[in-house]
Amino acid sequence: MTQLDTGKDLLLHIKDVTGHAFSDAGLLTQALTHRSFSRGHNERFEFLGDALLGMFIADELFTRFPEAAESDLTRMRSSLVKKDTLALLARHLDLGNHIRFGIGESRSGGGRKESLLANALEALIGAIYLDSDLDNCRLCIQRIYAPLLDTMSAGNVPKDPKSELQEYLQANKKSLPAYNVIAEEGGAHDKLFTIECYVDGLAEPVVAKGRSKRNAEQTAARTALEKIALDADQG
């Protein structure tokens, strides 16, 4: 599918997948405009959508799981608002085919990049709020997240590698891991981070890469846990 402008087809598509019919099509246009395309891009909307998403997801989890501990709620919220999940939902909404990119970003596959898809979904949420109100924005988020929320329970959300590594080290009375960025490559919105992770008990630091610092740190933590398990088996 080719990229579309903000015409009737796109307005109908967004209404179908989010439940919101935009009154101001210009807000939708800006929400789906990358900075490589024009100065009227979506980054401010992304900032707003990120805050709204965090608030409404926290409220939804608090209401759905009245018996869940704070640690479980935090883990569930993190799994729902992380970039990987946002990108997955953005693909489900087919946002990648509707984001306006500059020529260079378009040729490099901007509509397939997880970070840009995640940013676009946050920007769309911000635009929905600006075009309506908090109650409608909440309903749209619930609709977008329904496939994930309806199958989630407090006991089936795995701990992320960083949390698992930290808990392991604390339980074994070891120092907490130290994460350092040792290299950054790429442009402002297409960075590749290289992280070095020092773990008490491992002879060498673990090095990992990711499109965000968080992803690189999670990869490093996962690798560290694998090394720890391997050392235990060999010991």
Side-chain angles (χ1 to χ4, degrees):
M1 185 182 299
T2 58
Q3 289 187 3
L4 303 177
D5 61 6
T6 311
K8 290 183 179 180
D9 287 345
L10 178 54
L11 289 168
L12 288 172
H13 172 70
I14 294 299
K15 180 182 178 181
D16 183 54
V17 297
T18 69
H20 178 67
F22 270 88
S23 298
D24 183 351
L27 291 172
L28 177 56
T29 298
Q30 187 167 349
L32 298 179
T33 300
H34 185 255
R35 67 178 294 121
S36 63
F37 186 87
S38 75
R39 295 179 62 184
H41 53 73
N42 63 6
E43 289 179 9
R44 285 173 56 85
F45 287 12
E46 175 193 340
F47 164 80
L48 184 59
D50 175 63
L52 291 164
L53 185 61
M55 176 179 70
F56 285 133
I57 289 297
D59 182 68
E60 184 72 17
L61 293 172
F62 186 85
T63 302
R64 282 181 178 242
F65 303 103
E67 303 301 323
E70 184 271 343
S71 58
D72 290 331
L73 292 172
T74 297
R75 192 157 57 247
M76 286 189 285
R77 182 187 60 191
S78 295
S79 74
L80 290 173
V81 301
K82 65 183 181 179
K83 292 294 184 182
D84 293 353
T85 302
L86 291 173
L88 177 68
L89 291 170
R91 289 193 184 93
H92 179 69
L93 302 182
D94 195 30
L95 292 189
N97 283 316
H98 301 285
I99 304 171
R100 302 193 303 171
F101 295 105
I103 295 175
E105 189 62 61
S106 181
R107 286 176 175 171
S108 67
R112 298 188 299 272
K113 295 177 181 177
E114 289 204 345
S115 61
L116 301 187
L117 287 169
N119 294 346
L121 179 56
E122 290 177 335
L124 177 61
I125 289 169
I128 289 172
Y129 163 70
L130 292 172
D131 195 57
S132 56
D133 53 38
L134 283 172
D135 288 338
N136 182 66
C137 188
R138 179 197 301 272
L139 290 174
C140 291
I141 290 173
Q142 289 173 338
R143 180 167 179 160
I144 292 169
Y145 270 87
L148 300 180
L149 288 168
D150 291 345
T151 59
M152 177 169 276
S153 67
N156 72 355
V157 181
K159 295 177 182 177
D160 63 86
K162 282 186 67 176
S163 298
E164 189 175 347
L165 177 60
Q166 180 172 316
E167 290 181 10
Y168 167 82
L169 294 172
Q170 288 176 326
N172 287 274
K173 302 187 185 306
K174 295 179 178 290
S175 302
L176 294 180
Y179 300 90
N180 299 312
V181 178
I182 58 175
E184 293 184 25
E185 306 168 54
H189 292 270
D190 189 27
K191 284 189 177 295
L192 180 66
F193 295 90
T194 302
I195 295 286
E196 196 172 53
C197 176
Y198 290 87
V199 178
D200 190 357
L202 293 181
E204 299 290 338
V206 175
V207 178
K209 296 179 182 289
R211 287 296 175 185
S212 69
K213 292 179 183 178
R214 182 184 186 280
N215 284 346
E217 289 174 354
Q218 294 287 5
T219 301
R222 184 181 301 109
T223 301
L225 287 167
E226 292 171 354
K227 288 180 176 292
I228 290 170
L230 181 62
D231 289 349
D233 288 341
Q234 292 177 345

